[in-house]
């Protein structure tokens, strides 16, 4: 049916039709965070530079290596295994000090907070204003998921780039493809958790529930991965840990693990689809 | 399909658990009119508006805008609708200018020169981040964005709240100009006096139900005044009661030698003023009857007398 014929489109003078920007929401979601993104990027940069520049000292000091050797086996196993705890190798050092815990933890704060804005925007009322515009609800979910993914990948590549540049200076002996695989694995891991926050936020309209659910999931995955190496009966369940899927098999040394990455990407898509379905039916607010 | 109807709801009902949203709302807003939805806070005005915008979904019943189901044709409808939420919250990092530009890209419709005109008329500083603006100025941003894409339907929830008198007057002119061009305006307010100057018709909601819909000209209550007279002599109530337009005269206890009357005046004060010329008048206080006086002085459906508010 023609809109004009139905009386909707009473043309008022002065109106300029312009092209609808297909990524207008993404623009809003990303640009609204550029300041905090800049702070995050600088923080990650400083931390990585610091960690990398300490490597030669730690590698060459017998004390550190020995101290690490003397950690209880259980602790080493929990923290990623003997290899990941070899502070004298670039891969072991960077895994222990950056990629295995610090970076996923920090970035999950970013991603979960981002995803949870799906709840807080409903609670605050900015969602009302968005949805009163001529857009479909799925677009809000999809563009939020997209912005979440892009910003997280952007932030995760900051330490990646620092390591890449430093590789030559301090003899980290890191293979750049393995580095890329690790950055992607960390990104996908935290994006999954961010999307879970987005899903719960879309479902409940509450930031707190969204952050809570995603944080618990992250902690559970990390624990399951760590304990899976220690407790024999837990071992078969290790594969259900998102953390294990992303980082449990030492991508910084082993390189691309396509099936794991594909699985994480699939889960990202699945969670987004469920979030769309939930949000389409929801009473916003 | 009736082209002359902008908004039509059919037994529209929204229940929230035990508490009521709106119940069996049958509403018709004609294209080109200004319709006011009036009622006390919590009566269901915002619920109705959020149902019309498809932000929440009805428990039962349906709503159509320009003949189209608000649920299934929401994108087409929203293209031609401007919305001001109550207690508006905006993206605080943007300046008003940036916000309007961005909305243009989102909506695909924007009238830049009209937007600039409104910024000027509402005396808004468009270059400051919205988060730094006062509540009243944020309300202006909300109003301007509702008009900036030249929608043919405006849905404004408590549009005048937080605005100073000058901006209110400007708002009324903008509404008149917009309807003159053929647009329909749907406003809500908890104060009839806030919107009586712009509305053609008003509907009153009480406890989720539409009580009445009347043309503004038919609202005899609008011409009601609550008057308090203080006379410096002893006067019998009969001297005042029975005059044309004077009703419900009550004698209020006062100091010896004085008389205080409280009464209602409908329409012209002419007869009352002529009669008062006979007495030593110390004071005449006349107030417009409030919304509560107008609508709540009645009985609700259950026959329970509603508490008279503000007395």
């Amino acid at each position: 049916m023609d809109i004009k014929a139905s009386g909707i489109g009473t043309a008022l003078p002065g109106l300029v039709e312009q092209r609808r920007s297909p990524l207008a929401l993404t623009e809003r979601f990303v640009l609204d965070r550029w300041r905090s993104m800049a702070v995050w990027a600088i923080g990650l940069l400083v931390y990585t530079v610091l960690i990398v520049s300490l490597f030669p000292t730690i590698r060459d000091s017998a004390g550190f290596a020995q101290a690490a050797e003397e950690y209880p086996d259980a602790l080493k196993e929990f923290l990623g295994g003997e290899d990941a705890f070899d502070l004298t190798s670039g891969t072991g050092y960077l895994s222990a000090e950056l990629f295995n815990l610090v970076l996923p933890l920090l970035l999950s704060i970013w991603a979960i907070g981002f995803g949870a804005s799906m709840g807080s925007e409903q609670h605050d009322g900015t969602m009302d204003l968005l949805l009163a515009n001529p857009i479909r609800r799925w677009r809000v979910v999809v563009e939020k998921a997209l912005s979440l993914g892009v910003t997280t990948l952007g932030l995760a590549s900051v330490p990646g780039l620092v390591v890449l540049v430093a590789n030559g200076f301090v003899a980290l002996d890191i293979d750049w493809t393995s580095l890329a695989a690790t950055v992607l694995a960390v990104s996908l891991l935290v994006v999954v958790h961010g999307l879970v926050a987005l899903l719960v936020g879309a479902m409940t309209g509450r930031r707190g529930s969204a952050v809570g659910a995603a944080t618990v999931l992250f902690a559970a995955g990390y624990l399951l991965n760590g304990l899976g190496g220690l407790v024999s009966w837990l071992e078969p369940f290790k594969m259900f840990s998102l953390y294990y899927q992303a980082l449990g098999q030492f991508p910084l040394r082993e390189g691309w693990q396509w099936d794991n990455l594909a699985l994480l990407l699939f889960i990202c898509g699945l969670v987004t689809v469920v979030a769309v379905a939930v949000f389409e039916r929801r009473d916003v607010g | 399909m009736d082209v002359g109807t902008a908004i039509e709801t059919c037994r529209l009902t929204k229940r929230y658990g035990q508490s009521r949203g709106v119940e069996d709302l049958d509403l018709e807003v004609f294209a080109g009119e200004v319709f006011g939805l009036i009622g006390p806070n919590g009566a269901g005005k915002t619920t109705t508006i959020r149902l019309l915008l498809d932000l929440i979904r009805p428990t039962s019943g349906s709503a159509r805008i320009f003949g189209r189901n608000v649920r299934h044709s929401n994108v087409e409808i929203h293209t031609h609708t401007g919305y001001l939420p109550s207690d508006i919250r905006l993206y605080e990092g943007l300046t008003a200018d940036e916000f309007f530009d961005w909305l243009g890209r989102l909506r695909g419709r924007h009238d830049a020169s009209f937007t600039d005109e409104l910024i000027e008329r509402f005396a808004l500083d468009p270059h400051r981040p919205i988060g730094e603006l006062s509540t009243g100025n944020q309300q202006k941003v909300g109003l301007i964005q509702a008009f900036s894409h030249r929608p043919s339907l405006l849905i404004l929830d408590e549009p005048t709240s937080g605005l100073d008198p000058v901006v209110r007057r400007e708002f009324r002119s903008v509404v008149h100009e917009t309807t003159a061009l053929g647009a329909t305006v749907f406003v809500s307010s908890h104060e009839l006096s806030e919107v009586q100057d712009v509305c053609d018709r008003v509907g009153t909601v009480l406890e989720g139900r539409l009580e009445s819909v009347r043309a503004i000209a038919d609202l005899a209550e609008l011409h009601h005044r609550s008057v308090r007279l203080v006379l410096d002599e002893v006067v019998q109530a009969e001297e005042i009661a029975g005059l044309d337009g004077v009703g419900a005269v009550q004698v209020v206890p006062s100091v010896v030698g004085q008389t205080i009357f409280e009464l209602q005046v409908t329409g012209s004060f002419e007869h009352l003023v002529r009669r008062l010329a006979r007495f030593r008048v110390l004071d005449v206080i006349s107030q417009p009857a409030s919304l509560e006086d107008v609508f709540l002085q009645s009985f609700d459906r259950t026959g329970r007398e509603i508490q008279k508010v503000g007395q």
Side-chain angles (χ1 to χ4, degrees):
Chain A
M1 188 180 20
D2 180 33
I3 284 179
K4 289 274 158 59
S6 72
I8 284 189
T10 317
L12 300 185
L15 177 72
V16 179
E17 299 257 358
Q18 61 185 73
R19 209 170 57 82
R20 246 176 224 179
S21 163
L23 291 175
L25 295 175
T26 308
E27 175 194 336
R28 187 75 290 109
F29 297 150
V30 173
L31 291 187
D32 276 354
R33 291 174 174 79
W34 74 266
R35 265 199 199 93
S36 62
M37 254 186 100
V39 173
W40 273 82
I42 291 169
L44 289 170
L45 182 90
V46 169
Y47 178 82
T48 315
V49 167
L50 201 70
I51 285 297
V52 165
S53 58
L54 284 174
F55 175 64
T57 318
I58 288 176
R59 178 191 51 202
D60 301 336
S61 126
F64 273 105
Q66 200 183 342
E69 277 294 308
E70 284 167 4
Y71 275 18
D73 285 345
L75 182 65
K76 278 193 271 189
E77 194 58 46
F78 184 83
L79 290 172
E82 190 80 26
D83 293 336
F85 227 68
D86 174 14
L87 296 185
T88 58
S89 80
T91 50
Y93 177 77
L94 286 178
S95 294
E97 303 297 342
L98 184 65
F99 291 113
N100 272 3
L101 186 58
V102 174
L103 191 59
L105 204 60
L106 286 177
L107 285 180
S108 69
I109 294 172
W110 169 266
I112 289 172
F114 200 128
S117 69
M118 195 70 197
S120 47
E121 282 214 47
Q122 291 186 63
H123 184 261
D124 294 346
T126 49
M127 192 63 82
D128 276 25
L129 203 64
L130 275 190
L131 293 178
N133 285 299
I135 52 168
R136 302 217 176 272
R137 286 193 181 187
W138 64 259
R139 243 189 86 184
V140 178
V141 176
V142 169
E143 289 203 43
K144 197 143 240 173
L146 185 71
S147 324
L148 164 60
V150 168
T151 55
T152 305
L153 192 62
L155 286 177
S157 48
V158 169
L161 288 172
V162 171
V163 170
L164 192 65
V165 170
N167 208 2
F169 296 107
V170 289
L172 286 162
D173 202 20
I174 301 272
D175 172 40
W176 75 269
T177 55
S178 304
L179 179 65
T182 305
V183 166
L184 195 61
V186 171
S187 302
L188 281 173
L189 173 66
V190 299
V191 167
V192 169
H193 291 87
L195 290 174
V196 167
L198 188 151
L199 167 63
V200 178
M203 203 184 297
T204 62
R206 287 167 198 281
R207 183 184 170 81
S209 317
V211 170
T215 306
V216 166
L217 185 70
F218 185 91
Y222 183 73
L223 272 179
L224 182 58
N225 175 70
L227 294 174
L230 289 174
V231 186
S232 57
W233 64 266
L234 269 177
E235 177 76 38
F237 298 103
K238 221 167 141 172
M239 58 174 292
F240 293 112
S241 156
L242 291 166
Y243 182 90
Y244 171 78
Q245 291 297 339
L247 296 167
Q249 290 152 295
F250 214 164
L252 195 57
R253 194 185 60 196
E254 304 299 326
W256 293 102
Q257 290 150 359
W258 293 111
D259 43 351
N260 297 36
L261 295 180
L263 177 70
L264 289 171
L265 199 59
F266 172 75
I267 296 173
C268 285
L270 190 69
V271 175
T272 307
V273 168
V274 175
V276 166
V278 164
F279 194 55
E280 287 284 351
R281 281 161 188 74
R282 178 165 164 80
D283 281 349
V284 172
Chain B
M1 183 195 61
D2 187 1
V3 174
T5 300
I7 301 174
E8 191 175 15
T9 69
C10 178
R11 300 182 68 81
L12 191 63
T13 300
K14 179 69 185 178
R15 298 194 191 97
Y16 295 101
Q18 292 292 323
S19 66
R20 193 189 346 240
V22 295
E23 192 81 30
D24 279 343
L25 200 77
D26 286 313
L27 192 69
E28 189 178 11
V29 177
F30 305 124
E33 77 172 333
V34 182
F35 187 96
L37 195 63
I38 314 294
N41 292 326
K45 302 184 300 287
T46 296
T47 303
T48 305
I49 284 176
R50 289 166 59 82
L51 284 165
L52 291 176
L53 284 155
D54 191 43
L55 294 170
I56 54 177
R57 274 64 187 269
T59 310
S60 63
S62 64
R64 300 173 83 77
I65 289 181
F66 294 117
R68 307 179 153 217
N69 187 295
V70 296
R71 175 93 198 257
H72 302 120
S73 306
N74 56 6
V75 170
E76 294 94 304
I77 292 170
H78 292 175
T79 304
H80 303 279
T81 303
Y83 168 51
L84 172 75
S86 66
D87 301 322
I88 189 167
R89 285 289 298 269
L90 301 149
Y91 288 102
E92 301 192 331
L94 295 179
T95 67
D97 253 351
E98 292 166 344
F99 179 59
F100 299 139
D101 281 350
W102 172 71
L103 276 178
R105 288 196 293 282
L106 181 68
R107 291 164 168 167
R109 293 165 76 97
H110 186 54
D111 187 339
S113 61
F114 184 51
T115 306
D116 290 343
E117 184 197 319
L118 290 178
I119 289 172
E120 183 105 343
R121 288 170 69 176
F122 287 159
L124 176 71
D125 179 355
H127 305 301
R128 274 177 64 190
I130 290 171
E132 292 177 13
L133 297 176
S134 66
T135 316
N137 279 318
Q138 293 198 14
Q139 181 78 356
K140 293 179 192 172
V141 176
L143 273 174
I144 295 171
Q145 64 81 28
F147 284 89
S148 67
H149 54 309
R150 290 289 192 176
S152 40
L153 172 66
L154 286 129
I155 297 181
L156 310 173
D157 200 352
E158 301 276 356
T160 52
S161 77
L163 296 182
D164 59 56
V166 179
V167 181
R168 279 180 201 210
R169 204 173 56 216
E170 208 57 55
F171 164 72
R172 284 197 286 272
S173 330
V174 173
V175 168
H176 285 310
E177 290 159 27
T178 312
T179 46
L181 293 170
T184 310
V185 180
F186 184 90
V187 296
S188 82
S189 181
H190 62 281
E191 280 284 354
L192 179 62
S193 57
E194 299 269 303
V195 292
Q196 67 189 53
D197 297 346
V198 291
C199 292
D200 299 311
R201 292 194 305 148
V202 292
T204 44
V205 277
L206 273 177
E207 300 193 343
R209 288 178 186 275
L210 188 65
E211 292 288 307
S212 67
V213 176
R214 281 178 289 182
I216 203 87
D218 296 342
L219 286 178
E221 296 91 334
L222 277 185
H223 310 294
H224 266 299
R225 291 291 184 278
S226 298
V227 178
R228 186 182 173 95
L229 297 176
V230 183
L231 308 175
D232 194 19
E233 56 189 290
V234 178
V235 176
Q236 296 304 309
E238 290 72 34
E239 297 270 9
I240 302 293
L243 289 172
D244 253 11
V246 174
V249 179
Q250 286 187 315
V251 184
V252 179
S254 63
V255 297
V256 177
Q258 287 194 358
T259 311
I260 299 178
F261 292 131
E262 280 184 353
L263 45 102
Q264 302 285 320
V265 176
T266 310
S268 168
F269 273 70
E270 184 185 351
H271 296 283
L272 179 64
V273 172
R274 280 178 196 276
R275 178 62 53 92
L276 287 181
R278 299 180 186 176
F279 310 117
R280 290 196 297 277
V281 180
L282 289 179
D283 201 359
V284 179
I285 303 164
S286 169
Q287 287 179 318
S290 69
L291 182 70
E292 285 78 13
D293 291 329
V294 174
F295 295 111
L296 299 187
Q297 229 167 352
S298 57
F299 292 84
D300 74 359
R301 290 172 181 283
T302 59
R304 184 165 43 87
E305 191 170 4
I306 295 174
Q307 201 81 46
K308 219 170 150 186
V309 186
Q311 295 273 314

